[in-house]
Amino acid sequence: MQHDANCIFCRIVRGEIPSRKAYEDDDVLVFHDIQPVAPVHLLLIPKAHVATLYDATPQHAGVLGKIMTLAGQLARENGAGDGFRLIVNTGRVGRQEVMHVHVHVVGGGEPFGPMIVRKGP
Ligand code: 5GP
Ligand code: ZN
Protein backbone atom coordinates (compact mmCIF):
# COMPACT_ATOMS: atom_id res chain seq x y z
CA MET A 1 0.00 0.00 0.00
CA GLN A 2 1.21 3.47 -0.93
CA HIS A 3 2.57 5.31 2.12
CA ASP A 4 4.79 8.27 2.92
CA ALA A 5 7.21 7.73 5.83
CA ASN A 6 7.01 11.40 6.85
CA CYS A 7 3.24 11.70 6.73
CA ILE A 8 1.54 11.92 10.15
CA PHE A 9 -1.59 10.11 8.99
CA CYS A 10 0.41 7.33 7.27
CA ARG A 11 2.21 6.91 10.58
CA ILE A 12 -1.15 6.66 12.37
CA VAL A 13 -2.25 4.02 9.82
CA ARG A 14 0.94 2.05 10.55
CA GLY A 15 0.44 2.35 14.31
CA GLU A 16 3.63 4.41 14.77
CA ILE A 17 1.58 7.26 16.26
CA PRO A 18 -1.30 6.32 18.57
CA SER A 19 -4.86 7.38 17.78
CA ARG A 20 -8.34 6.83 19.17
CA LYS A 21 -9.82 4.65 16.46
CA ALA A 22 -13.53 4.61 15.67
CA TYR A 23 -13.53 2.29 12.62
CA GLU A 24 -11.09 0.36 10.48
CA ASP A 25 -11.23 -1.90 7.46
CA ASP A 26 -8.77 -2.87 4.72
CA ASP A 27 -8.66 0.55 3.09
CA VAL A 28 -10.25 3.07 5.47
CA LEU A 29 -9.27 4.27 8.95
CA VAL A 30 -11.41 6.53 11.14
CA PHE A 31 -10.10 8.14 14.32
CA HIS A 32 -10.95 11.02 16.62
CA ASP A 33 -9.33 14.38 15.90
CA ILE A 34 -6.74 15.28 18.53
CA GLN A 35 -8.05 18.88 18.72
CA PRO A 36 -11.81 18.55 18.30
CA VAL A 37 -13.77 21.61 17.16
CA ALA A 38 -17.12 20.03 18.08
CA PRO A 39 -18.30 17.32 20.53
CA VAL A 40 -17.93 14.79 17.70
CA HIS A 41 -14.94 15.28 15.44
CA LEU A 42 -13.82 12.28 13.41
CA LEU A 43 -11.26 12.03 10.64
CA LEU A 44 -11.99 9.53 7.87
CA ILE A 45 -8.96 8.68 5.77
CA PRO A 46 -7.92 6.30 3.01
CA LYS A 47 -5.16 4.05 4.37
CA ALA A 48 -3.19 4.58 1.18
CA HIS A 49 -1.39 7.90 0.97
CA VAL A 50 -3.09 10.46 -1.26
CA ALA A 51 -1.83 13.96 -0.47
CA THR A 52 -4.80 16.09 -1.50
CA LEU A 53 -8.01 15.90 -3.52
CA TYR A 54 -5.99 17.40 -6.40
CA ASP A 55 -4.13 14.08 -6.45
CA ALA A 56 -7.24 11.90 -6.41
CA THR A 57 -7.83 9.91 -9.61
CA PRO A 58 -10.53 7.45 -10.70
CA GLN A 59 -8.54 4.71 -8.94
CA HIS A 60 -9.43 6.38 -5.62
CA ALA A 61 -13.16 6.52 -6.38
CA GLY A 62 -13.87 3.32 -4.45
CA VAL A 63 -12.22 4.32 -1.19
CA LEU A 64 -13.47 7.91 -1.33
CA GLY A 65 -16.99 6.67 -2.07
CA LYS A 66 -16.75 4.26 0.84
CA ILE A 67 -15.72 7.12 3.14
CA MET A 68 -18.83 9.07 2.08
CA THR A 69 -21.11 6.12 2.75
CA LEU A 70 -19.53 5.54 6.19
CA ALA A 71 -19.93 9.14 7.33
CA GLY A 72 -23.57 8.96 8.43
CA GLN A 73 -23.18 5.62 10.19
CA LEU A 74 -20.10 6.78 12.10
CA ALA A 75 -21.66 10.14 12.94
CA ARG A 76 -24.67 8.35 14.42
CA GLU A 77 -22.60 5.76 16.30
CA ASN A 78 -20.42 8.46 17.87
CA GLY A 79 -23.12 10.83 19.09
CA ALA A 80 -23.85 13.01 16.08
CA GLY A 81 -27.20 11.54 15.09
CA ASP A 82 -28.75 14.99 14.81
CA GLY A 83 -26.79 16.26 11.85
CA PHE A 84 -23.18 16.83 11.00
CA ARG A 85 -20.93 18.55 8.53
CA LEU A 86 -18.26 17.05 6.28
CA ILE A 87 -15.20 19.17 5.61
CA VAL A 88 -12.32 18.41 3.26
CA ASN A 89 -9.83 21.23 3.51
CA THR A 90 -7.72 21.24 0.38
CA GLY A 91 -4.53 23.10 -0.49
CA ARG A 92 -3.44 26.55 0.62
CA VAL A 93 -6.74 28.34 0.14
CA GLY A 94 -8.61 25.49 1.85
CA ARG A 95 -6.06 25.69 4.71
CA GLN A 96 -5.18 22.01 4.60
CA GLU A 97 -2.59 21.28 7.28
CA VAL A 98 -2.06 17.53 6.98
CA MET A 99 -1.18 16.48 3.44
CA HIS A 100 -3.04 13.16 3.46
CA VAL A 101 -6.65 13.33 2.28
CA HIS A 102 -9.03 13.32 5.22
CA VAL A 103 -12.72 13.97 5.62
CA HIS A 104 -13.70 15.70 8.87
CA VAL A 105 -17.06 14.66 10.37
CA VAL A 106 -18.07 17.33 12.87
CA GLY A 107 -21.28 17.52 14.85
CA GLY A 108 -22.87 16.51 18.11
CA GLY A 109 -23.55 20.00 19.43
CA GLU A 110 -25.58 23.05 18.52
CA PRO A 111 -26.16 23.91 14.86
CA PHE A 112 -23.13 25.47 13.20
CA GLY A 113 -22.99 28.94 11.74
CA PRO A 114 -22.88 29.58 8.01
CA MET A 115 -20.62 27.32 5.99
CA ILE A 116 -18.12 30.10 5.29
CA VAL A 117 -18.25 33.47 6.98
CA ARG A 118 -19.11 36.05 4.35
CA LYS A 119 -16.73 38.95 4.04
CA GLY A 120 -18.11 42.44 4.71
CA PRO A 121 -19.54 44.61 1.90
P1 5GP B 1 -6.67 19.96 8.16
O1 5GP B 1 -6.48 21.36 8.66
O2 5GP B 1 -5.46 19.45 7.43
O3 5GP B 1 -7.96 19.77 7.39
O4 5GP B 1 -6.90 19.08 9.46
C1 5GP B 1 -5.92 18.32 10.08
C2 5GP B 1 -6.54 17.82 11.37
O5 5GP B 1 -5.71 16.79 11.88
C3 5GP B 1 -6.65 18.88 12.46
O6 5GP B 1 -8.02 19.01 12.85
C4 5GP B 1 -5.77 18.35 13.59
O7 5GP B 1 -6.29 18.60 14.87
C5 5GP B 1 -5.69 16.86 13.27
N1 5GP B 1 -4.47 16.22 13.69
C6 5GP B 1 -3.19 16.65 13.43
N2 5GP B 1 -2.30 15.79 13.96
C7 5GP B 1 -3.02 14.80 14.55
C8 5GP B 1 -2.63 13.63 15.27
O8 5GP B 1 -1.47 13.31 15.47
N3 5GP B 1 -3.64 12.86 15.74
C9 5GP B 1 -4.96 13.16 15.55
N4 5GP B 1 -5.86 12.32 16.06
N5 5GP B 1 -5.35 14.26 14.87
C10 5GP B 1 -4.39 15.07 14.39
ZN1 ZN C 1 -0.07 9.81 4.26
Side-chain angles (χ1 to χ4, degrees):
M1 183 171 300
Q2 181 77 16
H3 78 276
D4 176 333
N6 296 316
C7 168
I8 295 176
F9 286 178
C10 284
R11 296 190 67 201
I12 286 176
V13 168
R14 291 158 72 79
E16 294 168 10
I17 295 175
S19 67
R20 222 180 110 212
K21 288 180 191 172
Y23 173 87
E24 180 168 19
D25 65 26
D26 286 348
D27 44 17
V28 174
L29 179 65
V30 180
F31 52 99
H32 295 264
D33 197 290
I34 205 165
Q35 275 195 295
V37 299
V40 177
H41 188 165
L42 301 169
L43 298 173
L44 287 65
I45 71 170
K47 284 189 170 177
H49 182 79
V50 186
T52 82
L53 278 188
Y54 289 120
D55 306 295
T57 66
Q59 87 182 73
H60 304 111
V63 68
L64 294 177
K66 186 194 261 189
I67 283 172
M68 294 298 282
T69 63
L70 283 167
Q73 175 197 327
L74 285 161
R76 206 181 272 123
E77 285 174 3
N78 287 277
D82 198 23
F84 61 91
R85 199 169 268 180
L86 296 185
I87 302 168
V88 188
N89 296 321
T90 302
R92 183 182 71 87
V93 170
R95 298 182 71 153
Q96 179 179 1
E97 287 177 5
V98 175
M99 293 295 153
H100 180 131
V101 167
H102 51 284
V103 175
H104 298 254
V105 171
V106 287
E110 292 303 307
F112 295 123
M115 187 167 63
I116 293 190
V117 177
R118 293 184 195 280
K119 294 185 176 137

mmCIF file of all heavy atoms in Angstrom, residues 60-80:
data_model
loop_
_atom_site.group_PDB
_atom_site.id
_atom_site.type_symbol
_atom_site.label_atom_id
_atom_site.label_comp_id
_atom_site.label_asym_id
_atom_site.label_seq_id
_atom_site.Cartn_x
_atom_site.Cartn_y
_atom_site.Cartn_z
ATOM 1 N N HIS A 60 -9.072 6.136 -7.027
ATOM 2 C CA HIS A 60 -9.434 6.385 -5.625
ATOM 3 C C HIS A 60 -10.942 6.489 -5.409
ATOM 4 O O HIS A 60 -11.389 6.713 -4.285
ATOM 5 C CB HIS A 60 -8.768 7.686 -5.137
ATOM 6 C CG HIS A 60 -7.286 7.687 -5.293
ATOM 7 N ND1 HIS A 60 -6.616 8.488 -6.188
ATOM 8 C CD2 HIS A 60 -6.342 6.936 -4.674
ATOM 9 C CE1 HIS A 60 -5.311 8.244 -6.119
ATOM 10 N NE2 HIS A 60 -5.126 7.307 -5.215
ATOM 11 N N ALA A 61 -11.700 6.326 -6.489
ATOM 12 C CA ALA A 61 -13.160 6.515 -6.377
ATOM 13 C C ALA A 61 -13.772 5.556 -5.365
ATOM 14 O O ALA A 61 -14.663 5.928 -4.590
ATOM 15 C CB ALA A 61 -13.824 6.352 -7.742
ATOM 16 N N GLY A 62 -13.298 4.326 -5.356
ATOM 17 C CA GLY A 62 -13.871 3.323 -4.454
ATOM 18 C C GLY A 62 -13.703 3.706 -3.003
ATOM 19 O O GLY A 62 -14.674 3.745 -2.236
ATOM 20 N N VAL A 63 -12.477 4.027 -2.608
ATOM 21 C CA VAL A 63 -12.225 4.316 -1.192
ATOM 22 C C VAL A 63 -12.871 5.638 -0.782
ATOM 23 O O VAL A 63 -13.426 5.758 0.320
ATOM 24 C CB VAL A 63 -10.712 4.256 -0.860
ATOM 25 C CG1 VAL A 63 -9.932 5.384 -1.506
ATOM 26 C CG2 VAL A 63 -10.501 4.275 0.650
ATOM 27 N N LEU A 64 -12.848 6.630 -1.677
ATOM 28 C CA LEU A 64 -13.467 7.911 -1.328
ATOM 29 C C LEU A 64 -14.988 7.770 -1.255
ATOM 30 O O LEU A 64 -15.637 8.356 -0.391
ATOM 31 C CB LEU A 64 -13.047 8.999 -2.321
ATOM 32 C CG LEU A 64 -11.549 9.349 -2.257
ATOM 33 C CD1 LEU A 64 -11.188 10.378 -3.330
ATOM 34 C CD2 LEU A 64 -11.152 9.875 -0.874
ATOM 35 N N GLY A 65 -15.552 6.946 -2.130
ATOM 36 C CA GLY A 65 -16.991 6.672 -2.065
ATOM 37 C C GLY A 65 -17.346 5.944 -0.778
ATOM 38 O O GLY A 65 -18.349 6.256 -0.127
ATOM 39 N N LYS A 66 -16.497 4.999 -0.395
ATOM 40 C CA LYS A 66 -16.752 4.261 0.841
ATOM 41 C C LYS A 66 -16.743 5.206 2.037
ATOM 42 O O LYS A 66 -17.586 5.116 2.932
ATOM 43 C CB LYS A 66 -15.696 3.165 1.016
ATOM 44 C CG LYS A 66 -15.974 2.260 2.187
ATOM 45 C CD LYS A 66 -14.759 1.421 2.523
ATOM 46 C CE LYS A 66 -14.841 0.022 1.954
ATOM 47 N NZ LYS A 66 -13.756 -0.822 2.475
ATOM 48 N N ILE A 67 -15.794 6.145 2.047
ATOM 49 C CA ILE A 67 -15.724 7.120 3.141
ATOM 50 C C ILE A 67 -17.033 7.906 3.224
ATOM 51 O O ILE A 67 -17.586 8.101 4.308
ATOM 52 C CB ILE A 67 -14.488 8.034 2.962
ATOM 53 C CG1 ILE A 67 -13.234 7.259 3.382
ATOM 54 C CG2 ILE A 67 -14.641 9.345 3.714
ATOM 55 C CD1 ILE A 67 -11.922 7.969 3.087
ATOM 56 N N MET A 68 -17.564 8.311 2.072
ATOM 57 C CA MET A 68 -18.831 9.067 2.081
ATOM 58 C C MET A 68 -19.964 8.219 2.639
ATOM 59 O O MET A 68 -20.803 8.711 3.395
ATOM 60 C CB MET A 68 -19.187 9.523 0.656
ATOM 61 C CG MET A 68 -18.236 10.538 0.068
ATOM 62 S SD MET A 68 -18.198 12.071 0.985
ATOM 63 C CE MET A 68 -19.699 12.833 0.395
ATOM 64 N N THR A 69 -19.990 6.953 2.296
ATOM 65 C CA THR A 69 -21.107 6.120 2.751
ATOM 66 C C THR A 69 -20.952 5.725 4.220
ATOM 67 O O THR A 69 -21.922 5.314 4.847
ATOM 68 C CB THR A 69 -21.262 4.854 1.891
ATOM 69 O OG1 THR A 69 -20.092 4.045 2.026
ATOM 70 C CG2 THR A 69 -21.489 5.196 0.427
ATOM 71 N N LEU A 70 -19.742 5.836 4.767
ATOM 72 C CA LEU A 70 -19.532 5.535 6.189
ATOM 73 C C LEU A 70 -19.833 6.735 7.086
ATOM 74 O O LEU A 70 -20.040 6.576 8.295
ATOM 75 C CB LEU A 70 -18.066 5.133 6.426
ATOM 76 C CG LEU A 70 -17.667 3.718 6.016
ATOM 77 C CD1 LEU A 70 -16.138 3.599 6.005
ATOM 78 C CD2 LEU A 70 -18.274 2.701 6.986
ATOM 79 N N ALA A 71 -19.859 7.920 6.514
ATOM 80 C CA ALA A 71 -19.928 9.140 7.332
ATOM 81 C C ALA A 71 -21.169 9.167 8.217
ATOM 82 O O ALA A 71 -21.075 9.439 9.417
ATOM 83 C CB ALA A 71 -19.874 10.379 6.432
ATOM 84 N N GLY A 72 -22.326 8.886 7.658
ATOM 85 C CA GLY A 72 -23.569 8.956 8.428
ATOM 86 C C GLY A 72 -23.599 7.919 9.538
ATOM 87 O O GLY A 72 -23.959 8.216 10.685
ATOM 88 N N GLN A 73 -23.203 6.700 9.188
ATOM 89 C CA GLN A 73 -23.178 5.618 10.186
ATOM 90 C C GLN A 73 -22.251 5.974 11.347
ATOM 91 O O GLN A 73 -22.608 5.829 12.518
ATOM 92 C CB GLN A 73 -22.695 4.337 9.494
ATOM 93 C CG GLN A 73 -22.494 3.145 10.402
ATOM 94 C CD GLN A 73 -21.644 2.063 9.727
ATOM 95 O OE1 GLN A 73 -21.702 1.873 8.508
ATOM 96 N NE2 GLN A 73 -20.851 1.361 10.510
ATOM 97 N N LEU A 74 -21.071 6.465 11.042
ATOM 98 C CA LEU A 74 -20.102 6.777 12.101
ATOM 99 C C LEU A 74 -20.530 7.998 12.898
ATOM 100 O O LEU A 74 -20.331 8.045 14.113
ATOM 101 C CB LEU A 74 -18.711 6.966 11.494
ATOM 102 C CG LEU A 74 -18.097 5.626 11.104
ATOM 103 C CD1 LEU A 74 -16.966 5.811 10.110
ATOM 104 C CD2 LEU A 74 -17.598 4.898 12.343
ATOM 105 N N ALA A 75 -21.145 8.970 12.229
ATOM 106 C CA ALA A 75 -21.662 10.139 12.944
ATOM 107 C C ALA A 75 -22.691 9.669 13.968
ATOM 108 O O ALA A 75 -22.629 10.034 15.148
ATOM 109 C CB ALA A 75 -22.285 11.131 11.960
ATOM 110 N N ARG A 76 -23.613 8.840 13.524
ATOM 111 C CA ARG A 76 -24.671 8.347 14.416
ATOM 112 C C ARG A 76 -24.080 7.546 15.569
ATOM 113 O O ARG A 76 -24.407 7.766 16.734
ATOM 114 C CB ARG A 76 -25.638 7.483 13.613
ATOM 115 C CG ARG A 76 -27.026 7.433 14.176
ATOM 116 C CD ARG A 76 -27.939 6.540 13.370
ATOM 117 N NE ARG A 76 -28.612 7.210 12.275
ATOM 118 C CZ ARG A 76 -28.544 6.844 11.001
ATOM 119 N NH1 ARG A 76 -27.822 5.808 10.636
ATOM 120 N NH2 ARG A 76 -29.213 7.494 10.093
ATOM 121 N N GLU A 77 -23.177 6.638 15.267
ATOM 122 C CA GLU A 77 -22.602 5.764 16.304
ATOM 123 C C GLU A 77 -21.802 6.541 17.349
ATOM 124 O O GLU A 77 -21.624 6.075 18.466
ATOM 125 C CB GLU A 77 -21.652 4.736 15.668
ATOM 126 C CG GLU A 77 -22.350 3.624 14.935
ATOM 127 C CD GLU A 77 -21.379 2.711 14.200
ATOM 128 O OE1 GLU A 77 -20.139 2.901 14.305
ATOM 129 O OE2 GLU A 77 -21.867 1.819 13.498
ATOM 130 N N ASN A 78 -21.304 7.714 16.961
ATOM 131 C CA ASN A 78 -20.421 8.456 17.870
ATOM 132 C C ASN A 78 -21.090 9.677 18.503
ATOM 133 O O ASN A 78 -20.417 10.513 19.091
ATOM 134 C CB ASN A 78 -19.135 8.847 17.133
ATOM 135 C CG ASN A 78 -18.233 7.648 16.923
ATOM 136 O OD1 ASN A 78 -17.487 7.283 17.828
ATOM 137 N ND2 ASN A 78 -18.334 7.008 15.760
ATOM 138 N N GLY A 79 -22.412 9.782 18.363
ATOM 139 C CA GLY A 79 -23.117 10.829 19.092
ATOM 140 C C GLY A 79 -23.505 12.034 18.266
ATOM 141 O O GLY A 79 -23.875 13.068 18.822
ATOM 142 N N ALA A 80 -23.416 11.911 16.952
ATOM 143 C CA ALA A 80 -23.847 13.011 16.084
ATOM 144 C C ALA A 80 -24.986 12.514 15.187
ATOM 145 O O ALA A 80 -24.913 12.593 13.955
ATOM 146 C CB ALA A 80 -22.675 13.547 15.253
#
